[in-house]
Amino acid sequence: MALAIPLVWADDHRLHAPSAEIWVGVRTPAAETPARADAIRSTLLEAGASEVAATPHDDASLEAVHDSSLLAFLASAWADWDAAGLPADPGQDQVVPYIFPHPGLMGGLEPALPAATWARPGAFCFDTMTLIGPGTWVAARAAADAALTAADLVTGGAPLVYACCRPPGHHVTRTAYGGSCYLNNAAVAAQQLRAGGAARVAVIDIDAHHGNGAQSIFWERNDVLTASVHIDPATGWFPHFLGGEAERGDGAGLGSNLNIPLPPGARDGEWLRAVDVLVQTARSSGAEALVLALGVDAAGGDPESPLDVTVRGFREAGRLIGQPGLPVVVVQEGGYDLAAIGRLVLATLEGLQEGHGNA
Ligand code: SP5
Ligand code: ZN
């Protein structure tokens, strides 16, 4: 049976091709590469998926979840870096932060935007691994457009749509980027579903890493439930400072955030029980539509996580998420095993279609 879930695609993802990540001060090979999305696309097309081109959306859709100062920084960061001569001296051709307005530095004072071009990235970026090159903004914008296009299709009545977003997005907060992410595609999609008339939406994040971005963006809101299963950051994994089960939201959003951290080596059984809890929580929250932040880096063999989920596990996760019969916007997040990424995404989408029974 051909895959009935359409693939929303933007060629412009290839314009973002970071040559490295700076990790503990060392230049290491980039894990988040153009080959990832190209591998997923060819697997899905082979499985008979139809392809829809991402359509451009205006900045209002981004401003609903991101500060305009973050958007303005991202849009001009590389051009500013280049204009400041940094590619020639000291010889860094991508935007990398070096000083951060750490809360312990500022003591509660509001940081002003630094005059020096090389000091500005730290005001918006929380790690050293998320580099900006000449095509990063156009690519990140295209990924958000893919998520928005998928959300529009779902608002228009499509039951299940997959957006092949790259670069990924789930680590980005309202004001700060990092974790190989620049714009929070899943949050943008959730907000777009709300604007399209869904009274409540749930973001279910099964990427191996904590979905700290949507957690933060919707922290005080109860119209968007955020729920994430991930490698326990307390066992030594990114994003290190967030992702514990005590984080439940605040104010009106208290109880509308759910984290299920798992230990290294967790396999299908434990992971699927957690996925099921996320799905049941989304269902009982009254969500009328779901956003699935689909990272496949929880798979055994992925270089960026010690979780040990199989292809069958991902298929079953898809089935569980499809079962409530809610419309789902699927947004691509991580997954770094190039040999496996296509079949992991395909298995999840096949499971989703099967569980939904209505694609
Ligand atoms: C979207 C997504 O999955 N982002 C996760 C990024 C987590 N990266 C953490 C990298 C930690 C250091 N890895 C060492 C290998 C350096 N190439
Ligand atoms: Zn991840």
Side-chain angles (χ1 to χ4, degrees):
M1 183 181 71
L3 189 70
I5 302 176
L7 153 73
V8 182
W9 176 260
D11 279 333
D12 279 352
H13 83 84
R14 296 190 192 112
L15 299 173
H16 174 59
S19 61
E21 308 172 348
I22 311 297
W23 188 63
V24 299
V26 175
R27 207 178 159 87
T28 63
E32 204 292 286
T33 58
R36 298 176 57 249
D38 291 339
I40 295 168
R41 180 200 197 196
S42 65
T43 304
L44 298 189
L45 292 181
E46 242 168 66
S50 62
E51 185 173 290
V52 178
T55 55
H57 287 65
D58 61 33
D59 281 351
S61 305
L62 306 181
E63 284 161 359
V65 300
H66 292 303
D67 256 20
S68 49
S69 61
L70 171 62
L71 301 174
F73 169 78
L74 290 171
S76 69
W78 194 82
D80 292 349
W81 192 262
D82 191 39
L86 294 157
D89 178 12
Q92 176 52 269
D93 67 353
Q94 290 163 93
V95 178
V96 187
Y98 98 98
I99 183 169
F100 303 86
H102 190 284
L105 171 68
M106 299 308 298
L109 297 177
E110 249 336 279
L113 205 56
T117 303
W118 45 94
R120 231 170 284 143
F124 300 99
C125 190
F126 54 75
D127 66 33
T128 60
M129 307 180 305
T130 311
L131 276 46
I132 295 177
T136 299
W137 172 245
V138 173
R141 204 64 229 307
D145 281 331
L148 287 161
T149 303
D152 291 345
L153 288 169
V154 162
T155 294
L160 306 169
V161 181
Y162 170 76
C164 192
C165 297
R166 184 186 166 270
H170 76 144
H171 294 302
V172 186
T173 68
R174 178 169 278 282
T175 55
Y177 71 99
S180 308
C181 303
Y182 305 87
L183 295 170
N184 197 317
N185 307 309
V188 164
Q191 185 65 35
Q192 187 81 347
L193 290 170
R194 286 283 293 107
R200 281 171 186 269
V201 174
V203 179
I204 294 180
D205 189 323
I206 65 171
D207 185 280
H209 304 99
H210 174 229
N212 64 285
Q215 165 173 306
S216 170
I217 288 167
F218 299 112
W219 186 246
E220 295 187 11
R221 287 173 53 174
N222 62 9
D223 59 326
V224 181
L225 175 88
T226 46
S228 177
V229 56
H230 44 264
I231 179 66
D232 187 351
T235 66
W237 292 84
F238 192 89
H240 300 282
F241 297 98
L242 291 158
E245 57 196 0
E247 298 157 25
R248 300 185 55 241
D250 201 8
L254 184 61
S256 291
N257 185 73
L258 174 64
N259 287 331
I260 307 185
L262 297 181
R267 302 172 72 160
D268 286 4
E270 194 176 0
W271 186 73
L272 288 167
R273 277 192 294 281
V275 171
D276 195 40
V277 173
L278 304 186
V279 173
Q280 297 317 322
T281 305
R283 196 208 288 255
S284 57
S285 77
E288 297 174 1
L290 304 179
V291 175
L292 173 61
L294 174 60
V296 293
D297 40 6
D302 190 284
E304 296 292 334
S305 134
L307 297 176
D308 197 16
V309 178
T310 67
V311 176
R312 292 176 61 166
F314 275 93
R315 187 182 305 269
E316 183 57 23
R319 231 177 257 133
L320 292 170
I321 295 159
Q323 250 153 21
L326 295 169
V328 187
V329 174
V330 184
V331 168
Q332 185 64 42
E333 300 288 355
Y336 305 96
D337 180 353
L338 275 183
I341 190 170
R343 65 174 178 271
L344 290 163
V345 172
L346 176 60
T348 313
L349 297 181
E350 285 172 343
L352 190 62
Q353 183 170 309
E354 202 178 305
H356 199 277
N358 182 35

